[in-house]
Amino acid sequence: MFKYKVQILKKIISGTNNGLDKNSRRYGDCKLPLKMENVLVVSKLSRLEYERSKFKYISEDELKKELVSRGTDYNSLLYNHDLHKTFENKVVESFKSFNAVVKVVNRFSLKEEQTEWADVVVPAGGDGTFLLAASRVKNNLKPVIGFNSDPRRSEGHLCLPKKYSSDITKAIDELKNGNFQWLLRSRIRTSLFCQSKKLVPKYLHIVETPEDAYSCEPTYKYAEDMGTILPFLALNEVFIGESLAAKVSHLEMYLNDSEESTNLKSSGLCVCTGTGSTSWHMSINRIPVQTVAELLRLMDIEATEDKDSLATVLADIYNQNLLFNPDDPRMGYTVRELISVGVWPQPKGLKPRGFVNKIQVRSKCIDACLVVDGGVSYEFNDGVVAVLEIKPEDALRTVILTD
């Protein structure tokens, strides 16, 4: 009996496909130099800068006292701030050494006309800075190329490999010589349909709303409502749910233009791209080694949670299978903590996780929000409808440096 179970597990392992089909990616060797005459460097917003923006009318000594009173290590904030600024200066000077005109902006001053001026947009920070910079690029023509300013403390999945953080000139030289591949990362377009004539975004990581904050005017009709295409494309994910995590989110979903809807209650809905499959999507769906080990024991298979154990191997295979290509035209949806008892969902049969080409969601919530890439939020209360889809023209142009 034990050998039979092991044979089943071996078949599972050998037949697992993590969805990353290398032959499906829509990119190729460029062979042509990248135009970099005008370079826009987008600066990381350090924690210290964020705190300064909250207390802009007090002195640095007073700010230090305020932070220390809260138990914050001011010296650590200052050290990391200086580290990022030093790296940012290296990026600027490296591009200037190639005769580029360089402008530096931060998330408080970044405007679309600045991205239009640039030949290439260069976030200098981590994935958060990259997402911010990418949000101001509205088409698939302008490249966004990120440098990780602190690879010791940040993964920087969206940035160039960490080795280029210590050799910025080498990366620029490769780009100038065309030694890279294009990667068009899919992004999610969101359309909202509601009675409101204006949709005002709420910025989640900025103290003050920027002067050019978008108030979206309706652009076309959908059924009896006025629809608005949001000016923010999601590179990672769109989350929909009640603002207070303890509240149950009541939503109505239509998948892939189906006329049949499903009413569901859950902790919210996360819809991601292939790029975002390494982020929140992975965190929501990943299976712990402990869980796999407990399942094996239920099958009367002796299991440990050691580094090289069967439980660890199976957990790694399962978790890697959650990822899919950043240029995949599909979206991955996940219903968080789906209530699946009694009459919920209505009707039964909805898979809590799957792929879609298009998804429509109607809110039956009280105090909900729709959040794009964890940075911009819109009200999403009872009656509001969101349509999420991926369009080729909305992709984000990025690069992969050829080793």
Side-chain angles (χ1 to χ4, degrees):
M1 185 67 175
F2 175 79
K3 290 183 178 179
Y4 173 72
K5 293 174 182 176
V6 172
Q7 288 174 353
I8 293 176
L9 291 175
K10 287 182 178 179
K11 289 182 179 180
I12 292 174
I13 293 173
S14 63
T16 301
N17 183 346
N18 66 7
L20 294 175
D21 181 2
K22 294 182 180 179
N23 295 322
S24 73
R25 292 190 172 185
R26 302 187 300 275
Y27 62 72
D29 292 333
C30 179
K31 303 301 183 185
L32 296 175
L34 181 63
K35 183 182 179 183
M36 294 187 290
E37 295 176 4
N38 296 329
V39 177
L40 183 68
V41 174
V42 181
S43 175
K44 174 184 174 66
L45 176 69
S46 71
R47 168 72 185 282
L48 184 58
E49 286 178 307
Y50 176 77
E51 294 293 348
R52 283 172 177 166
S53 70
K54 290 168 59 179
F55 301 97
K56 60 173 62 177
Y57 299 112
I58 66 176
S59 68
E60 193 70 17
D61 286 339
E62 290 173 322
L63 174 62
K64 181 177 180 180
K65 290 179 181 179
E66 166 66 26
L67 294 174
V68 171
S69 70
R70 288 160 27 190
T72 301
D73 187 342
Y74 174 84
N75 291 330
S76 176
L77 293 189
L78 181 60
Y79 171 81
N80 288 312
H81 170 79
D82 291 341
L83 184 150
H84 289 297
K85 290 304 174 185
T86 299
F87 181 85
E88 177 188 305
N89 290 333
K90 288 181 179 179
V91 172
V92 172
E93 293 305 316
S94 295
F95 275 102
K96 285 184 176 179
S97 70
F98 285 83
N99 299 317
V101 177
V102 182
K103 292 183 180 179
V104 180
V105 294
N106 58 37
R107 72 168 65 200
F108 294 110
S109 60
L110 179 59
K111 296 179 174 60
E112 276 193 71
E113 53 263 32
Q114 293 168 322
T115 63
E116 292 173 0
W117 165 85
D119 297 317
V120 59
V121 177
V122 180
D127 286 343
T129 308
F130 190 101
L131 289 169
L132 169 72
S135 70
R136 296 301 176 120
V137 177
K138 305 304 180 185
N139 56 48
N140 62 8
L141 302 177
K142 192 178 300 293
V144 179
I145 303 170
F147 286 90
N148 190 341
S149 63
D150 190 3
R152 300 170 307 149
R153 301 171 62 241
S154 169
E155 285 298 326
H157 287 292
L158 299 174
C159 301
L160 294 178
K162 294 181 179 181
K163 64 180 181 180
Y164 292 111
S165 295
S166 57
D167 197 351
I168 300 169
T169 301
K170 171 66 174 176
I172 299 174
D173 189 59
E174 294 292 299
L175 295 170
K176 291 285 285 188
N177 292 323
N179 296 327
F180 63 90
Q181 297 172 316
W182 290 120
L183 174 57
L184 297 179
R185 294 179 179 270
S186 296
R187 294 192 287 184
I188 299 173
R189 176 187 295 190
T190 304
S191 301
L192 286 185
F193 305 93
C194 57
Q195 297 299 325
S196 176
K197 292 185 178 181
K198 284 192 176 182
L199 298 171
V200 180
K202 179 181 179 181
Y203 293 79
L204 303 183
H205 302 299
I206 300 178
V207 176
E208 295 182 355
T209 301
E211 294 180 0
D212 65 338
Y214 296 100
S215 295
C216 310
E217 297 288 352
T219 53
Y220 58 88
K221 289 187 176 182
Y222 177 81
E224 296 178 354
D225 297 328
M226 297 297 289
T228 302
I229 299 176
L230 299 186
F232 300 97
L233 298 166
L235 181 58
N236 269 352
E237 75 278 310
V238 173
F239 175 77
I240 298 173
E242 289 282 0
S243 300
L244 184 62
K247 281 187 177 181
V248 174
S249 300
H250 188 180
L251 303 171
E252 183 179 11
M253 287 174 46
Y254 297 79
L255 305 181
N256 293 327
D257 288 320
S258 172
E259 295 183 358
E260 296 182 359
S261 66
T262 301
N263 273 289
L264 55 96
K265 290 185 176 182
S266 68
S267 295
L269 173 69
C270 181
V271 184
C272 79
T273 64
T275 295
S277 67
T278 66
S279 186
W280 199 359
H281 170 84
M282 168 68 84
S283 298
I284 295 172
N285 292 296
R286 71 184 307 276
I287 186 169
V289 174
Q290 177 186 359
T291 301
V292 178
E294 291 174 357
L295 287 171
L296 291 173
R297 295 184 195 113
L298 290 174
M299 297 173 64
D300 294 327
I301 297 176
E302 188 175 335
T304 68
E305 300 173 29
D306 298 335
K307 181 179 178 181
D308 298 322
S309 68
L310 177 60
T312 300
V313 171
L314 289 173
D316 287 344
I317 290 173
Y318 178 90
N319 293 333
Q320 286 300 309
N321 195 53
L322 296 171
L323 307 180
F324 57 105
N325 286 337
D327 60 355
D328 197 312
R330 302 171 301 168
M331 298 175 288
Y333 78 87
T334 301
V335 182
R336 296 176 67 207
E337 300 167 339
L338 174 65
I339 295 177
S340 188
V341 293
V343 297
W344 299 103
Q346 303 173 353
K348 296 288 187 179
L350 176 74
K351 292 183 178 181
R353 176 169 64 84
F355 289 102
V356 289
N357 295 315
K358 183 178 181 180
I359 185 168
Q360 177 179 315
V361 185
R362 181 182 296 275
S363 174
K364 296 187 176 181
C365 298
I366 299 173
D367 181 24
C369 56
L370 181 148
V371 185
V372 180
D373 279 341
V376 184
S377 173
Y378 289 88
E379 289 187 1
F380 193 71
N381 295 325
D382 190 30
V384 179
V385 175
V387 173
L388 279 59
E389 53 196 334
I390 287 178
K391 301 287 187 180
E393 60 268 29
D394 293 336
L396 183 72
R397 183 172 292 272
T398 62
V399 302
I400 297 177
L401 287 181
T402 306
D403 293 330

